[in-house]
Amino acid sequence: MNDNLLKELQKITGKAGFYYKNLVTGEQITFQEDMPFQAASVIKIPILIEAFTRLETGSLHKTDLFTIKKQDKLPSCGALTYMHDGLQVTLEDLYTLMIILSDNTATNLLIEHLGMDQINNTMQKLGCRQIKLNRYLFDSEKAALGIENYISAGDIAGLLEKMYHGELVSKEASAEMLRILKNQRLNGKIPFFIHGKADIAHKTGEDDGITHDVGIVYGKEPFIICFCGNEVDVPAYERLMQDISYALFKEQE
């Protein structure tokens, strides 16, 4: 299985990164797991972690209110851009929508409130070498200058493993973040053939030539699985994500 899986990843046009770890046996399969990738919406996991870090210190509260203004609204994904101007939502609403609907309006509001430097400092403290938040979403001026946000499959996998073991922020915070990730509504990649058969805590990311999905599959033996792709044939790579995820899930039956 391992050799065939790696051969399929090597065939992918563009840049692909992959990380698999069985959380019971410790078995690992990796491919370019330390390569930096333009993050797309997977950068929302570090933002979620920073929100929970601040909740833990008491400097923020789930019930803190935010008013959604017309100038805050960004294109899809998400829901807030379609709601009336002046809508009030809580911090908890923002980080929940950011993950389960990949809400971009919620994301930029959280970046503004939490601070880019603080998010990056937290990632550095957690040992993430490739994760870096460099700009807001839909910042066309910085994007035109080649300024992007970055992740790696290995760094994200490390965060997910800490979360799984209750070691990220706190045991309670880890459990709550996983609960939110399990409520993900965008389920066309890792969960495609598994949906309904097992819980999956995950986050996707998409842009032109970019597709990612990273998460934990709660099979008989839970496993981390992270796919990153830049400059890829998106439909072909997403089909491979579906097939590999199902094969790794199925081999446990």
Side-chain angles (χ1 to χ4, degrees):
M1 173 65 184
N2 294 8
D3 289 344
N4 290 337
L5 189 158
L6 292 172
K7 284 176 184 176
E8 291 303 314
L9 287 165
Q10 287 165 358
K11 290 179 188 175
I12 289 293
T13 302
K15 300 174 184 176
F18 177 77
Y19 185 102
Y20 163 86
K21 184 174 183 178
N22 183 307
L23 290 164
V24 175
T25 67
E27 178 195 4
Q28 290 180 266
I29 308 168
T30 60
F31 178 73
Q32 300 185 149
E33 71 278 12
D34 294 325
M35 178 182 284
F37 288 83
Q38 289 184 37
S41 287
V42 175
I43 201 66
K44 294 167 183 176
I45 291 178
I47 298 167
L48 177 71
I49 292 165
E50 179 62 24
F52 272 84
T53 300
R54 305 280 273 280
L55 288 171
E56 191 73 12
T57 66
S59 61
L60 293 179
H61 302 88
K62 288 183 177 184
T63 54
D64 290 348
L65 287 174
F66 296 76
T67 301
I68 308 301
K69 306 179 188 70
K70 186 175 183 180
Q71 61 266 32
D72 296 326
K73 295 181 176 180
L74 295 174
S76 293
C77 294
L80 291 175
T81 193
Y82 305 106
M83 303 302 179
H84 68 269
D85 296 346
L87 176 73
Q88 284 199 314
V89 296
T90 65
L91 179 71
E92 185 176 17
D93 294 330
L94 287 180
Y95 62 66
T96 300
L97 288 170
M98 176 180 69
I99 296 298
I100 71 169
L101 295 180
S102 207
D103 195 295
N104 294 322
T105 299
T107 303
N108 273 9
L109 284 168
L110 285 168
I111 294 171
E112 181 179 8
H113 196 68
L114 298 170
M116 240 177 255
D117 289 343
Q118 288 88 336
I119 295 165
N120 287 329
N121 287 341
T122 295
M123 290 301 105
Q124 287 177 5
K125 289 176 185 175
L126 289 167
C128 297
R129 293 177 296 168
Q130 303 296 351
I131 294 176
K132 192 72 183 291
L133 177 64
N134 291 314
R135 66 170 176 84
Y136 287 91
L137 305 188
F138 290 91
D139 185 336
S140 55
E141 289 184 11
K142 286 194 174 179
L145 295 171
I147 298 170
E148 298 291 349
N149 302 319
Y150 291 97
I151 58 166
S152 70
D155 276 354
I156 292 292
L159 295 173
L160 292 169
E161 185 166 3
K162 286 183 175 74
M163 212 180 281
Y164 176 81
H165 289 296
E167 298 168 352
L168 196 52
V169 184
S170 69
K171 184 177 180 180
E172 294 75 19
S174 292
E176 179 66 7
M177 287 187 280
L178 286 170
R179 185 192 66 78
I180 294 167
L181 288 162
K182 286 177 184 177
N183 281 326
Q184 177 62 245
R185 302 293 93 189
L186 307 174
N187 292 311
K189 302 179 197 179
I190 290 171
F192 189 77
F193 293 117
I194 306 171
H195 197 61
K197 299 180 176 71
D199 286 338
I200 303 168
H202 72 115
K203 182 73 194 78
T204 63
E206 299 84 25
D207 207 336
D208 293 340
I210 297 173
T211 184
H212 312 305
D213 202 358
V214 299
I216 301 172
V217 176
Y218 288 80
K220 288 183 179 178
E221 295 177 348
F223 59 88
I224 292 168
I225 188 165
C226 298
F227 296 91
C228 296
N230 283 180
E231 301 167 29
V232 294
D233 178 336
V234 169
Y237 191 38
E238 290 184 356
R239 181 54 194 263
L240 186 60
M241 290 184 194
Q242 296 166 358
D243 289 344
I244 288 175
S245 300
Y246 186 60
L248 289 166
F249 173 76
K250 192 74 174 170
E251 75 175 11
Q252 295 183 1
E253 293 185 346

